[in-house]
Amino acid sequence: MSTRSLEVVAHRGASAERAEHTRGAYELALEQGADGLECDVRVTLDGHLVCVHDRRIDRTSDGRGVVSRRTAESMAALDFTGWFRSSAGLAPPTGPEGVLRLEELLGLVRDHGRAVRLFIETKHPVRYRGLVERELARLLRRYGLAAPPVRDESAVLMMSFSAAAVRRFRAEAPGVPTVLLFEQARGALRRGVLPPWADLAGPGIRVVRRDPGLVPRIAAHGRDTYCWTVDDPRDVALCRDAGVRFVATDAPATTRSHLSGS
């Protein structure tokens, strides 16, 4: 991928203003003009991909338990918004929402009038080794998204902190761009060299703060950078000046405002 101007990716939706990974959070992010949406996915007991960050649903719903030991149907009956409204002291803009299936989010992106990228992170370690990547590739094939005509214009990118997961997905859907996420740059990564099965580098903002020169070193090898999670205006400016391609942010409207006003 070639280096381009900075694009804003809504981290778990507009999660500073709506409960993360809910349809409402993603709809708000689209209204705010986000260039992309980010989500985490896990596999349920009955084989569905759902948008949940944690291994357990205790933090983000009124239910309890491990995602992989619950069915999608049982989690659809829970409320994944109340915890956020309560902690933020907000009245609900909509009613309670159950768990969001990845299929529903894909439909939301597909039906949106503007081209928006979806960054999908598979979570690890998980109970079903490799199943999440296989199911993701299967779902993308069903939606006609597994073989984009132009790789750089793919509507979907797959991400993981697990090198094994990224390699597995590359074998399943070689046409879909991949992002290797990391919290520390060591060895070849520190020199800006990515493995052949990763298209983009995915450092956390702390990595870029410590070594802003990492981004141009990555660009010198023909790769772009996706940086997470960038909310502070100083970090937004740092990423822009370093040449980051995509920033994941909890507050897409605010981040876009920082960029347009700078």
Side-chain angles (χ1 to χ4, degrees):
M1 292 190 173
S2 59
T3 303
R4 298 178 184 174
S5 59
L6 186 62
E7 295 186 35
V8 175
V9 179
H11 180 246
R12 308 180 196 176
S15 55
E17 299 179 64
R18 296 286 188 276
E20 66 183 60
H21 287 129
T22 58
R23 185 181 181 94
Y26 289 111
E27 288 177 337
L28 180 59
L30 292 174
E31 290 173 17
Q32 293 178 344
D35 301 299
L37 308 176
E38 183 270 355
C39 68
D40 305 294
V41 294
R42 292 182 177 274
V43 183
T44 64
L45 181 64
D46 49 348
H48 292 282
L49 292 176
V50 291
C51 300
V52 179
H53 177 272
D54 302 352
R55 176 175 172 269
R56 300 180 62 90
I57 60 173
D58 303 39
R59 178 179 66 87
T60 56
S61 80
D62 58 354
R64 297 181 61 83
V66 177
V67 174
S68 63
R69 294 177 182 171
R70 297 202 53 146
T71 65
E73 182 178 2
S74 73
M75 287 187 284
L78 301 175
D79 179 17
F80 279 77
T81 63
W83 69 274
F84 181 86
R85 298 196 306 269
S86 176
S87 63
L90 299 174
T94 58
E97 295 184 46
V99 75
L100 180 68
R101 297 191 191 192
L102 179 60
E103 186 171 1
E104 183 181 355
L105 183 55
L106 283 169
L108 182 65
V109 172
R110 177 197 59 196
D111 298 338
H112 189 64
R114 177 171 52 85
V116 176
R117 298 178 195 265
L118 182 58
F119 293 74
I120 303 172
E121 179 186 342
T122 63
K123 303 303 292 183
H124 291 276
V126 291
R127 184 182 184 191
Y128 306 117
R129 179 178 174 85
L131 180 60
V132 63
E133 286 80 37
R134 292 196 298 274
E135 287 301 309
L136 176 57
R138 182 190 63 80
L139 188 59
L140 294 182
R141 285 194 290 269
R142 203 171 102 201
Y143 274 76
L145 297 170
V150 181
R151 190 180 194 83
D152 188 49
E153 297 176 4
S154 176
V156 174
L157 294 89
M158 176 272 181
M159 312 189 296
S160 183
F161 285 93
S162 166
V166 178
R167 291 197 302 269
R168 280 196 299 265
F169 182 80
R170 171 55 57 87
E172 292 280 348
V176 177
T178 55
V179 185
L180 178 61
L181 301 171
F182 55 93
E183 296 181 281
Q184 296 184 56
R186 295 177 175 147
L189 266 181
R190 189 172 183 179
R191 300 192 302 274
V193 179
L194 290 173
W197 35 263
D199 296 292
L200 287 85
I205 185 58
R206 291 181 182 178
V207 178
V208 177
R209 284 183 198 143
R210 289 193 298 264
D211 183 10
L214 176 64
V215 178
R217 291 198 298 275
I218 291 167
H221 288 88
R223 307 296 181 89
D224 282 324
T225 299
Y226 167 98
C227 185
W228 53 275
T229 301
V230 185
D231 292 328
D232 189 296
R234 293 167 295 184
D235 290 333
V236 175
L238 172 65
C239 288
R240 178 204 61 211
D241 295 343
V244 168
R245 172 80 182 277
F246 302 102
V247 288
T249 176
D250 296 331
T254 303
T255 297
R256 287 178 62 85
S257 176
H258 292 324
L259 288 170
S260 62
S262 59

